Amino acid sequence: LRRLRGVQTRMRKTNAERYSQRCDTNYRLEQARTFAEFDEIYLPHNMDFRGRAYPVPPYLQHMGSDLCRGLLTFGGTPKPLKERGVYWLKVHFANLLGKDKASFDERVAYAETMIPNAVKVAENALEPGILEWWSNASDDPVQLLATCLEIGTAAKHGSHRMADHDSCFPVHQDGSCNGLQHYAALGRDAEGGAQVNLVPSDCPQDVYSGVKDVVVARIKADAARGDALARVLDGKVTRKVVKQTVMTSVYGVTLIGARQQVHNRLREMGIVDDDQLFQASFYIAKLVFASLGDIFSGATQTMKWLGDCAGQVTLSGQPVEWITPLGLPVVQPYVSKSRRQISTVVQHVTLDFDHRTDSASLHDYRSPQSAHLPNSGDPLDPLRDAACSMLRTPLRLNRSKQRSAFPPNYIHSLDSTHMLMTASACKALERPIDFASVHDSFWSHPSEVDTMNRVLREQFVRLHERDLLRELAWYLESYVGKGFALPEMPSRGTGCWIRSIFSADWGGLAASLHFFIVVEAKGE
């Protein structure tokens, strides 16, 4: 009976989620139909306190779902694909079909064998058999459909004249676990950098598969020692199980959060019984963290140092703040919260306030000249009194949040800096190129992928040639004051590692082309 109730609860939750997704999809499609009549649309952006840019429209925007990304193309005048554009469009096509771990030439060869399928999709995407193929061949079926339509249109010029096709289609370049790339560059960690494609290689390195392999080996060892849970999981842990936890580890995910991530993947895959899900997900999450510590010891040390610095800063009673390499001042806004219930003649209202260090008595929000007058009887008077009382009292910092949030926020400020530097560099080119960005994912015309890739790496080198950790330490010491010594900086490699791998000329960069991988497939 308990199991049946659990099934019923999950079914109700699934139905509610599907209804929500249906409504959300309708919103997006209606907006797409409305905007389809315009040649160009613009997406205004907001910038958060770390410098990260987010589009304001909530539904139809390029940071949205697979549906949104498949619907959007560049506005303006289409540009000829040219030979390199055809090459990168084929790479894009192969990656959407799950071949993103092969070399670029192998992906192009595979894509060429699948072009007849793409042409059939372009001719009639809803024909039985064809619909089943494109809707199940990729984790991003709408983007695959859009790519097939583009290839089908280009193929009308003839297979040997696709380069003449004028295109507005975007090709994506995603950072290879970008948070770990920044940590490896900060710590001058050549070994960790090799795992995230900072070191030249023929094929892209996959950090998620690397962590998965270590986790699988540890599970096998535990199973050989007779661990019952390890025996259940032996041979069942895949890249998909560990990917989200590895990706969010550099952004401060806790063991509890990691356990929930693994729990969700295991439930989706159905490889563990419900009564074992909690123990299995907790066990795997701990193994993932331990494996990350082994592979990325440099990143772990840097992350710990940043957290320790934040702890020292908050001891002085000040929030953690720093200035990004572009000069943007960042102040962490985390303060303690408190609740207060306000009774009015109408109802009781519970308000959340930033907690204050003093419990001062209520202040009258009225002017001193009217302070002697009796209360007006306005039912909102007590509410205003409480608000004015709390707003006139100093804030109390949430020290644990200040500490835990500093490492991921600092890395976010660096990737936003890299994005803004890239935007400026693209505009400053002799022939400026169009691009859109989703934090560490950059979209460009197929014919301009090579240029975008070069600019991305040049700006990454330019950013990390500076000793950013040393600059950060100097700044923190300057405003914390005497009596609050920062912890000793972690051991690091030499600065020449960055320059030697990311030479500022194209010839040196060509070897490390996987630094920003063209369309890293999602959700494997």
Side-chain angles (χ1 to χ4, degrees), residues 127-427:
E127 181 179 326
I130 296 177
L131 172 62
E132 285 75 13
W133 178 77
W134 67 261
S135 61
N136 295 301
S138 174
D139 292 325
D140 299 307
V142 180
Q143 292 179 70
L144 176 61
L145 172 61
T147 306
C148 289
L149 295 175
E150 187 69 18
I151 290 175
T153 305
K156 291 180 181 179
H157 296 272
S159 59
H160 298 293
R161 297 188 58 194
M162 290 178 65
D164 297 333
H165 173 62
D166 293 331
S167 174
C168 288
F169 192 77
V171 169
H172 312 173
Q173 297 183 66
D174 293 354
S176 180
C177 201
N178 189 237
L180 286 173
Q181 287 182 324
H182 282 293
Y183 271 120
L186 285 170
R188 307 300 194 253
D189 180 9
E191 183 178 350
Q195 297 290 329
V196 287
N197 296 298
L198 299 187
V199 174
S201 62
D202 294 330
C203 295
Q205 302 300 305
D206 182 20
V207 61
Y208 309 113
S209 294
V211 173
K212 184 264 296 182
D213 292 341
V214 176
V215 170
V216 167
R218 294 188 176 194
I219 290 175
K220 285 187 176 295
D222 289 345
R225 288 193 292 267
D227 188 299
L229 186 58
R231 288 180 175 178
V232 171
L233 294 170
D234 191 12
K236 297 180 179 179
V237 174
T238 65
R239 179 182 185 270
K240 184 177 181 179
V241 173
V242 306
K243 179 178 179 180
Q244 187 179 12
T245 302
V246 174
M247 187 185 306
T248 56
S249 63
V250 295
Y251 299 124
V253 68
T254 63
L255 182 58
I256 295 174
R259 188 209 64 77
Q260 186 61 50
Q261 292 170 347
V262 175
H263 180 278
N264 294 339
R265 300 292 84 74
L266 293 177
R267 171 169 283 176
E268 289 172 3
M269 299 168 68
I271 60 178
V272 179
D273 294 336
D274 288 349
D275 56 351
Q276 293 181 305
L277 268 176
F278 183 89
Q279 293 86 350
S281 57
F282 192 67
Y283 171 63
I284 293 175
K286 289 193 295 184
L287 290 182
V288 171
F289 279 148
S291 302
L292 281 169
D294 291 345
I295 299 176
F296 293 99
S297 58
T300 304
Q301 292 175 15
T302 303
M303 199 182 309
K304 182 180 182 303
W305 180 80
L306 290 172
D308 291 342
C309 286
Q312 286 295 104
V313 170
T314 56
L315 284 176
S316 69
Q318 302 183 64
V320 180
E321 62 180 76
W322 67 98
I323 296 178
T324 71
L326 284 182
L328 176 70
V330 181
V331 181
Q332 293 195 145
Y334 310 116
V335 295
S336 298
K337 301 285 184 179
S338 64
R339 286 189 171 187
R340 181 171 294 183
Q341 188 178 69
I342 309 299
S343 298
T344 72
V345 296
V346 178
Q347 61 186 346
H348 298 293
V349 181
T350 302
L351 301 177
D352 285 331
F353 288 103
D354 294 338
H355 197 66
R356 309 284 161 158
T357 56
D358 299 319
S359 55
S361 58
L362 292 181
H363 296 275
D364 199 325
Y365 68 92
R366 295 169 293 175
S367 66
Q369 290 78 8
S370 62
H372 65 284
L373 297 176
N375 192 292
S376 66
D378 188 333
L380 292 180
D381 276 347
L383 192 82
R384 297 192 186 103
D385 286 339
C388 290
S389 168
M390 304 199 76
L391 289 173
R392 295 177 182 177
T393 317
L395 293 173
R396 177 185 294 172
L397 294 177
N398 185 335
R399 291 188 57 213
S400 63
K401 182 66 173 176
Q402 288 277 341
R403 179 189 177 107
S404 63
F406 180 45
N409 282 341
Y410 182 68
I411 296 300
H412 280 312
S413 74
L414 292 184
D415 72 45
S416 69
T417 297
H418 179 236
M419 184 273 290
L420 293 171
M421 291 170 64
T422 301
S424 298
C426 288
K427 186 177 180 180

